[in-house]
Amino acid sequence: MKFTVSVIIPVFNAENFVEKAIKSALQQAEVLEVIVVNDGSTDKTLDVITQIQSNESRVKIYHHENQENKGRSASRNLGITKAIGNYVAFLDADDYFLANRFKNDKSIFEADLKTHGVYNAIGAHFYRKSNLEEEKKLKLTTVNQIIKPQELFEDLLFYRKGHFSIDGLTIKRSIFDSCGVFNETLAVSEDTELIYRMALKCHLKTGIINKPVAMRGVHDSNVFNDDNLYEESRLKVLESLFFWSYKNKIQLVKIDHFLNVLWIFKYQQSKNILKNIGYWFWLFFKTPKFLLTKLGVKYFPVVRLRQKLFPFLYKH
């Protein structure tokens, strides 16, 4: 398969950053096209990207119907439908690629045709004043060692060996046929939820993890500054993953891992047993066949609470 990459950049009011993002993608020899989805910007973003497009045929600009603002997930999904490259990479409008972003990825894909995706480390570029603590925290977003594809999901779910950013991920375009696209009901963490799905069903390989292949732009308007928003999204991500796994017949042993995380999360939110019973009834009502499995019994609140309070009763 020829290694041609479609880079998808969703943009909303990023007039100060988007030119750098686009040009960083254009400098990559493997990039066939740069798909810019203007998500209803009200600043001068459209002027900036139109000017770049006038001098570069690889830049393609799309809008939602009536030039509405629909969010990152819908914008990335629109980009996916327009992509013609055999491979897809994503870049946020305030981030940028470094030189030779796809060189090693290409080698990995060519060496192993079973590979569906390659993930790499990214760094951080501060557009505002920073302190030593956050510089250290964001210096390198990466897994800290090579991970076998079949072990990636559990390692990411439990943060055993770090995590990676979607800016550092390159995937075959065909992957969306089996894993689906971004969940448009998630305000944040939509990339994390899709990466979980990919890790469950596809063959993702570790790429360059000791130095960045892209840089995250850090400024005062970053959405990832809102810790509360990400905390609230955790539950929605796990629920979405459960419903998707149920429909796609993912192995119960895999589902067991994130149901355990979901159960703990809900229990910490509220230790009221009646509320928990109501919640799990709602969850299993949407997946009736799952209720009859061993995990349906295991995670029913009364049973689960007894396991927590009286673990010795469940030892074999």
Side-chain angles (χ1 to χ4, degrees):
M1 181 187 294
K2 189 175 181 180
F3 191 78
T4 57
V5 182
S6 295
V7 176
I8 298 173
I9 304 177
V11 56
F12 174 71
N13 289 353
E15 62 181 2
N16 295 324
F17 309 107
V18 68
E19 181 177 5
K20 188 170 187 175
I22 295 173
K23 289 185 175 179
S24 76
L26 290 172
Q27 75 174 346
Q28 315 296 329
E30 301 85 358
V31 170
L32 175 68
E33 60 180 352
V34 179
I35 296 172
V36 184
V37 180
N38 183 30
D39 188 24
S41 296
T42 56
D43 63 357
K44 295 181 180 179
T45 290
L46 184 57
D47 294 336
V48 174
I49 59 181
T50 301
Q51 178 60 38
I52 299 172
Q53 185 189 47
S54 67
N55 297 309
E56 176 53 74
S57 61
R58 285 185 293 165
V59 176
K60 301 175 181 178
I61 302 173
Y62 297 97
H63 306 265
H64 297 294
E65 188 176 357
N66 299 320
Q67 298 195 16
E68 289 182 80
N69 171 255
K70 291 193 171 183
R72 289 180 303 181
S73 291
S75 298
R76 287 169 174 162
N77 288 343
L78 176 58
I80 291 168
T81 66
K82 302 297 183 181
I84 59 174
N86 291 323
Y87 296 82
V88 170
F90 297 96
L91 184 65
D92 285 346
D94 50 0
D95 302 341
Y96 58 91
F97 291 144
L98 297 177
N100 299 313
R101 160 66 179 87
F102 299 105
K103 184 177 180 180
N104 187 63
D105 292 358
K106 180 181 179 181
S107 298
I108 293 175
F109 281 115
E110 290 178 343
D112 184 359
L113 298 180
K114 294 185 300 182
T115 299
H116 296 106
V118 178
Y119 52 90
N120 306 276
I122 72 163
H125 177 89
F126 287 85
Y127 289 101
R128 58 165 173 78
K129 289 185 178 180
S130 58
N131 57 57
L132 292 176
E133 182 180 351
E134 62 183 350
E135 286 177 8
K136 182 179 179 181
K137 179 181 178 182
L138 297 176
K139 181 179 180 181
L140 209 60
T141 299
T142 183
V143 298
N144 54 39
Q145 65 185 78
I146 294 174
I147 302 174
K148 294 178 181 178
Q150 63 270 27
E151 297 175 0
L152 179 62
F153 173 70
E154 287 88 344
D155 286 337
L156 292 177
L157 182 68
F158 297 113
Y159 299 99
R160 290 173 180 162
K161 299 170 184 174
H163 63 283
F164 59 87
S165 164
I166 197 166
D167 279 355
L169 178 66
T170 307
I171 50 180
K172 288 181 178 176
R173 182 161 54 92
S174 58
I175 201 173
F176 300 107
D177 295 334
S178 59
C179 292
V181 293
F182 291 92
N183 184 338
E184 296 182 17
T185 68
L186 296 173
V188 296
S189 300
E190 74 288 344
D191 48 354
T192 299
E193 193 261 353
L194 180 56
I195 288 171
Y196 281 158
R197 281 187 264 141
M198 291 178 180
L200 279 169
K201 205 162 187 179
C202 300
H203 196 88
L204 303 184
K205 285 192 131 180
T206 312
I208 297 172
I209 57 175
N210 61 346
K211 62 180 181 179
V213 301
M215 301 295 281
R216 169 190 293 161
V218 183
H219 49 84
D220 291 329
S221 301
N222 288 132
V223 68
F224 61 77
N225 291 333
D226 191 340
D227 292 336
N228 291 330
L229 185 61
Y230 276 88
E231 181 67 17
E232 291 173 6
S233 76
R234 180 68 168 161
L235 177 63
K236 294 180 180 179
V237 166
L238 292 169
E239 289 173 351
S240 176
L241 191 61
F242 172 66
F243 294 137
W244 177 85
S245 297
Y246 173 74
K247 290 180 181 178
N248 285 269
K249 300 179 180 179
I250 299 299
Q251 292 177 311
L252 288 181
V253 65
K254 298 286 187 180
I255 296 177
D256 191 11
H257 290 308
F258 61 81
L259 277 185
N260 184 54
V261 175
L262 176 58
W263 195 94
I264 293 171
F265 188 87
K266 282 298 296 181
Y267 184 76
Q268 290 173 340
Q269 277 191 329
S270 173
K271 297 183 180 180
N272 184 306
I273 189 64
L274 292 178
K275 286 185 178 180
N276 276 287
I277 289 175
Y279 172 78
W280 286 91
F281 262 128
W282 168 80
L283 197 70
F284 291 147
F285 179 76
K286 288 179 169 290
T287 55
K289 292 182 181 179
F290 187 82
L291 183 59
L292 302 177
T293 68
K294 61 181 182 181
L295 292 186
V297 175
K298 178 179 179 179
Y299 287 98
F300 189 75
V302 174
V303 176
R304 190 67 173 168
L305 187 60
R306 288 179 63 190
Q307 290 176 332
K308 183 178 181 63
L309 297 177
F310 309 107
F312 59 89
L313 294 177
Y314 294 85
K315 290 183 179 179
H316 297 290

